[in-house]
Amino acid sequence: MRRWWRIWASALLAAMAMHAPVQAEDGYDLWLRYQPLPEAQRVAVAPYAHSVVAEERGSDGTIAIAAGEIERGLAGLVGPSDEAAPGSGHVVLIGTAAAPSIAALDLPLTTLGEDGFVIRSVARGGKHMIVVAANRPVGVLYGAFALLRRLQTGADVTAFDLRETPRVALRLLNHWDNLDRTVERGYAGQSIWDWWKLPDYADPRYTDYARANASIGINGAVLNNVNARPDSLTGPWIAKAAKVADVLRPYGIKVYLSARWSAPVELNETATADPLDPAVATWWKAKANEIYRAIPDFGGFLVKANSEGQPGPQDYKRSHADGANMLAAAVAPHGGIVMWRAFVYSQVDPEDRAKQAYSEFKPLDGAFADNVVLQVKNGPIDFQPREPFHPLFGAMPKTPLMIEFQITKEYLGFATHLAYLAPMWEEALGADTYAKGKGSTVAKVVDGSLERHRLTGMAGVANIGSDRNWSGSTFDQANWYAFGRLAWDHALSSEAIAREWAAQTFAPDPAVVDPVVAMMLESRQAVVDYMTPLGLAHLMATGHHYGPGPWVSDLARPEWNPVYYHRADREGIGFDRTASGSNAVAQYAPPVARRFADRSRVGDDYLLWFHHVGWDERMASGRSLWAELVHRYDRGVASVADMQARWAALEPRIDDARFEQVTRFLAIQRQEATWWRDASIAYFADVSKRPLPEGVRPPAHDLDHYKAISHPFAPGHH
Ligand code: BDP
């Protein structure tokens, strides 16, 4: 009886399995889905699927991962097929010059550096080979992922002739993850680092994290929040970080830690944190030694000092250079670095906040040790939807500067709004500092080519969490992806990156890729328009920064209040940063300063960032400033409606789960864009005492309604 029951049950299960969908698209696979290729390409790729040759496979973990990835990828791309007869003379050959078959090919590897790779199609002696070669195993891994990316986006297997090297050395994620697993400005669940169970248990997810990062060239992760706790530098926490480092290492990813300046004092191990006190330097040296014993390839420290209430060397009347150099000396013997953040503004300084970092750091140019790099946010305030480039870029020729972007969308709608950020980053990297004449772009400062710096890098504040789909939404995965791709090669266009992401994430079909890319490319300007048009900034609600709060004026420090930034009154709006105002323009090289200071040349995008403009003044469009502002808010909402329409038309081509979630998130975005628009217009109409331009829809509610909205439990705020 029991036996019959078992047979019946297994038959039922088998039948169910046959009818189950091939794969549920819950977003976990990111851009590494490896779905079957279109037929013609599939037939061309199939013969390679079962013959990946990697002679170093047994001796090197990274090569083994690369080979396994190609096998996994090809199996998915080809699907079950008969074309894949082993011995058909088709081979994927991967390795470094230490592999005899690679050495025999005599490839030009010398100029590839540490991380570069070549991919070649080689036909020789009746054999068809795809060769992936590099100087180091990690280069082979990058090449493996590049090969799979190319195949998924339509490459011809017989015509590979590719050579890539990354433009910057440090391609890092900065996790703002706390030790209790909350994430500062995180909107994708809890921290992926399950600290409590570490080091005894390492979640398999760390491996998938490493794999996803390696696939886009990311080679470092700062594990903990810049607002750091001293605890993360104690023995038990070093052991936890070491375990994570062990998992990430074969993927070419180094671990870094944020260090709290006052840690030795708070841990009761020194009496002071004065960087010039020998006991303090000794403590940090010993601490570095302890960390390197546990993590031999530890990357180094990231430090937020004397900013937003964090302790730092200035508490002891020492400079940022004194502080950075003392830490740098502690990690230097191990090859470590210090990333010192330039995001500083003082609690007590009345100077225009946009000027403070430059005033603080510019005089220190040349004072930093060789293994210190300054980490500078893309703009002078704080990750706003649009900012001009940070004036420190180009202003400190003797100091390596890495750029910091925020991938997580603290100021751009958290995880529900669709905002593809690559256009913003492209804009910052492409900005011309004129530091050494025309063409001295921020990108050239960051990649070191302008001043021949070797310590170069990009950091992105991660948007990764414990959510099944990693980033809180499908389209936020694109921001993680784009950050990695731009860090690898800042010359890639945001459109090209969107195309390859969409092809891999949804389908390579142009009927999918084209509309998805169109949505992505319009999305960032849409957010600018409905939140902070025409160069406005920092008008978000207090604390969590979700939703509008342009009226807020009662916070303790002037620069915490939106009214500080927009300066709207009966006559006009905008922050005068020309010579008649804060003169922040003078921090830029003269040709840039002249353009920003010139009302007729600054352009609409930065107008109110640099100028206080009368409500009735004429804009390039012919509208008054007031009418233009209202128009921008309306345009932003209209763009969201446009994205909704494009997405709706994709229903037959997208899997149900992801289609449905994006649809709902776009509806939230539409609703909230309208909220931003209505609240902002209600407020500025009240301040300016101007009637709404003709034909404009009045806000749905009065100003008090919007002022009364509060969100005490918005995520990401601690
Ligand atoms: C601000 C965030 C704050 C961060 C800070 C930083 O609101 O949570 O600590 O940046 O970058 O934008 O240090």
Side-chain angles (χ1 to χ4, degrees):
M1 186 63 196
R2 281 183 70 139
R3 203 161 68 95
W4 280 113
W5 183 87
R6 251 197 252 134
I7 289 168
W8 176 82
S10 57
L12 182 73
L13 280 176
M16 279 167 62
M18 278 173 63
H19 289 102
V22 186
Q23 190 195 12
E25 294 276 8
D26 59 9
Y28 188 83
D29 290 340
L30 297 161
W31 47 87
L32 301 169
R33 291 164 55 256
Y34 303 140
Q35 291 298 296
L37 293 168
E39 188 53 18
Q41 208 197 345
R42 196 189 67 79
V43 170
V45 174
Y48 296 89
H50 294 291
S51 39
V52 177
V53 177
E55 287 149 331
E56 298 145 288
R57 196 178 204 152
S59 58
D60 187 280
T62 303
I63 298 280
I65 291 170
E69 190 70 35
I70 297 177
E71 280 161 353
R72 171 181 182 167
L74 293 182
L77 296 179
V78 167
S81 87
D82 340 312
E83 295 99 328
S88 62
H90 293 75
V91 181
V92 181
L93 172 65
I94 72 166
T96 69
S101 313
I102 296 287
L105 290 172
D106 205 16
L107 294 162
L109 301 182
T110 40
T111 53
L112 288 175
E114 300 219 314
D115 293 352
F117 58 80
V118 291
I119 305 181
R120 291 251 179 113
S121 302
V122 180
R124 207 176 265 187
K127 271 202 169 180
H128 299 276
M129 290 192 282
I130 303 172
V131 181
V132 179
N135 287 320
R136 291 199 308 156
V138 72
V140 177
L141 182 61
Y142 293 146
F145 280 113
L147 169 66
L148 292 166
R149 173 165 56 242
R150 296 276 168 156
L151 291 176
Q152 286 179 92
T153 50
D156 173 357
V157 269
T158 62
F160 280 114
D161 185 10
L162 208 74
R163 179 187 179 282
E164 287 192 25
T165 55
R167 302 237 186 196
V168 300
L170 306 168
R171 305 177 295 276
L172 306 193
L173 289 181
N174 288 184
H175 289 268
W176 285 0
D177 294 19
N178 297 313
L179 308 187
D180 63 2
R181 261 192 117 171
T182 54
V183 180
E184 182 150 336
R185 314 309 179 180
Y187 314 106
Q190 290 188 290
S191 167
I192 62 161
W193 313 127
D194 190 350
W195 293 116
W196 187 250
K197 297 197 192 86
L198 282 162
D200 303 316
Y201 176 74
D203 192 323
R205 211 175 176 161
Y206 307 157
T207 308
D208 292 335
Y209 163 92
R211 177 175 163 251
N213 278 324
S215 80
I216 49 176
I218 285 171
N219 65 356
V222 182
L223 301 184
N224 61 321
N225 193 350
V226 286
N227 298 318
R229 304 264 318 197
D231 313 57
S232 57
L233 296 173
T234 60
W237 289 89
I238 292 171
K240 292 168 193 283
K243 183 70 188 187
V244 174
D246 288 343
V247 178
L248 307 191
R249 185 170 298 113
Y251 292 85
I253 300 169
K254 280 188 185 178
V255 154
Y256 299 73
L257 291 174
S258 294
R260 180 164 167 88
W261 182 258
S262 52
V265 179
E266 287 175 65
L267 297 172
N268 289 319
E269 295 181 15
T270 59
T272 168
D274 179 348
L276 300 192
D277 185 310
V280 175
T282 304
W283 188 90
W284 282 102
K285 268 197 173 13
K287 188 49 71 183
N289 294 344
E290 181 187 348
I291 296 173
Y292 277 95
R293 272 195 299 279
I295 312 173
D297 56 350
F298 177 63
F301 293 122
L302 172 64
V303 185
K304 172 177 177 179
N306 293 116
S307 171
E308 299 188 324
Q310 293 295 318
Q314 292 181 331
D315 302 349
Y316 305 90
K317 306 215 169 358
R318 310 298 186 194
S319 73
H320 284 283
D322 293 331
N325 293 347
M326 184 274 288
L327 278 187
V331 292
H334 306 280
I337 59 160
V338 169
M339 296 171 284
W340 195 267
R341 291 178 93 227
F343 176 69
V344 301
Y345 65 97
S346 154
Q347 316 304 61
V348 288
D349 190 343
E351 191 181 38
D352 175 3
R353 178 173 159 190
K355 292 176 69 179
Q356 292 188 27
Y358 177 102
S359 308
E360 194 76 64
F361 282 95
K362 160 98 179 144
L364 296 175
D365 191 24
F368 290 97
D370 286 351
N371 59 333
V372 175
V373 50
L374 284 192
Q375 183 165 307
V376 183
K377 288 189 182 181
N378 58 287
I381 299 280
D382 197 358
F383 296 142
Q384 295 302 296
R386 174 168 275 129
E387 298 192 31
F389 70 93
H390 200 300
L392 277 176
F393 291 112
M396 295 186 69
K398 297 189 194 122
T399 312
L401 304 187
M402 61 193 286
I403 197 165
E404 177 177 345
F405 294 122
Q406 194 178 41
I407 309 173
T408 190
K409 303 207 310 302
E410 172 181 0
Y411 299 98
L412 289 102
F414 294 6
T416 40
H417 294 206
L418 197 169
Y420 173 54
L421 302 180
M424 170 158 95
W425 303 333
E426 185 178 44
E427 200 172 282
L429 291 163
D432 198 340
T433 70
Y434 278 84
K436 289 177 115 180
K438 196 169 161 46
S440 310
T441 57
V442 170
K444 286 191 187 163
V445 175
V446 168
D447 71 14
S449 59
L450 199 65
E451 300 291 346
R452 300 187 173 279
H453 288 301
R454 288 184 50 240
L455 194 51
T456 57
M458 284 194 207
V461 179
N463 66 350
I464 297 161
S466 61
D467 276 9
R468 181 74 191 154
N469 68 11
W470 301 90
S471 301
S473 78
T474 302
F475 279 93
D476 278 312
Q477 297 175 351
N479 291 327
W480 175 9
Y481 182 86
F483 169 76
R485 297 290 287 135
L486 275 177
W488 181 269
D489 183 1
H490 58 64
L492 290 170
S493 73
S494 56
E495 177 175 353
I497 296 171
R499 287 201 162 273
E500 57 181 50
W501 175 81
Q504 294 168 93
T505 301
F506 296 114
D509 178 359
V512 173
V513 173
D514 292 345
V516 166
V517 169
M519 290 168 69
M520 292 167 77
L521 292 182
E522 76 178 305
S523 63
R524 183 276 188 132
Q525 182 64 37
V527 176
V528 170
D529 282 344
Y530 64 70
M531 287 188 185
T532 50
L534 298 173
L536 291 172
H538 223 299
L539 306 186
M540 292 79 190
T542 306
H544 50 68
H545 298 144
Y546 205 66
W551 45 81
V552 175
S553 63
D554 58 351
L555 305 177
R557 289 285 314 149
E559 73 282 346
W560 290 348
N561 291 293
V563 296
Y564 169 91
Y565 296 95
H566 65 62
R567 312 214 154 188
D569 56 22
R570 178 87 176 74
E571 273 69 52
I573 179 171
F575 199 127
D576 182 1
R577 293 192 163 103
T578 67
S580 55
S582 79
N583 207 20
V585 292
Q587 294 183 334
Y588 292 95
V592 183
R594 280 196 295 275
R595 180 161 53 85
F596 286 160
D598 182 343
R599 167 84 172 70
S600 66
R601 287 204 300 145
V602 64
D604 290 350
D605 287 342
Y606 300 135
L607 180 63
L608 304 179
W609 185 281
F610 289 112
H611 297 266
H612 189 79
V613 182
W615 291 112
D616 303 320
E617 283 187 45
R618 287 287 129 204
M619 301 287 292
S621 64
R623 298 183 189 94
S624 71
L625 172 64
W626 169 233
E628 183 68 28
L629 190 70
V630 172
H631 166 71
R632 296 286 170 126
Y633 284 117
D634 275 326
R635 194 174 77 175
V637 176
S639 275
V640 180
D642 181 68
M643 293 194 279
Q644 284 182 294
R646 288 186 202 267
W647 184 253
L650 282 166
E651 179 162 15
R653 300 179 194 273
I654 309 276
D655 52 284
D656 293 348
R658 292 189 299 173
F659 179 80
E660 193 55 30
Q661 193 187 56
V662 172
T663 302
R664 284 177 193 274
F665 282 5
L666 284 168
I668 294 173
Q669 185 173 10
R670 173 79 171 273
Q671 201 177 308
E672 294 184 347
T674 307
W675 166 35
W676 263 100
R677 177 246 181 227
D678 284 3
S680 305
I681 291 178
Y683 171 69
F684 289 125
D686 185 63
V687 177
S688 69
K689 309 284 177 239
R690 299 296 191 279
L692 282 184
E694 197 136 334
V696 165
R697 179 182 63 73
H701 304 278
D702 64 12
L703 182 56
D704 288 338
H705 167 91
Y706 297 109
K707 285 185 174 177
I709 294 174
S710 98
H711 289 117
F713 305 112
H717 179 230
H718 311 286

